[in-house]
Amino acid sequence: MHYAGVKGSLGYWRTPAGSEVDFVWWRGRDVVAIEVKHANTFRPEHRKGLEAFLTGVPAKSYIVYGGERELKAGGTRVLPVGKFLRLLHAGEIIG
């Protein structure tokens, strides 16, 4: 964020029951939730934490994984790590 001059805050989110989102960026009303999975195959249960988060907060959401294909799961974009990093660097994820 500092390198790109992006303002806002970065943190994570977790419920007492253990649902979590790895990264949450926010600035005013803009919110982006990012879940990172160490898997080469996307599975629907990867959305568990994001689904819990998104019930209370309108946000853009992403799952980053080690696979090759870009997918869509509900309103969440599922991106291979390389593509995610290119989009992040280009300012298309946050900012």
Side-chain angles (χ1 to χ4, degrees):
M1 290 171 48
H2 178 74
Y3 174 79
V6 174
K7 303 290 186 211
S9 297
L10 184 65
Y12 69 96
W13 178 86
R14 181 181 168 105
T15 68
S19 293
E20 62 180 39
V21 176
D22 295 322
F23 300 97
V24 178
W25 171 86
W26 67 95
R27 183 180 65 202
R29 294 179 185 240
D30 295 329
V31 180
V32 178
I34 303 165
E35 183 67 25
V36 179
K37 295 297 182 185
H38 182 73
N40 292 329
T41 304
F42 169 75
R43 294 189 310 269
E45 58 266 22
H46 290 160
R47 287 195 72 233
K48 180 183 170 192
L50 286 171
E51 287 174 347
F53 180 77
L54 294 170
T55 60
V57 179
K60 291 194 303 185
S61 59
Y62 298 89
I63 294 174
V64 181
Y65 79 125
E68 302 279 327
R69 297 178 35 215
E70 179 174 345
L71 307 166
K72 192 84 163 171
T76 299
R77 285 180 73 183
V78 180
L79 298 172
V81 67
K83 178 155 189 174
F84 174 81
L85 292 173
R86 285 189 299 277
L87 292 172
L88 182 66
H89 185 264
E92 296 182 30
I93 302 290
I94 63 172

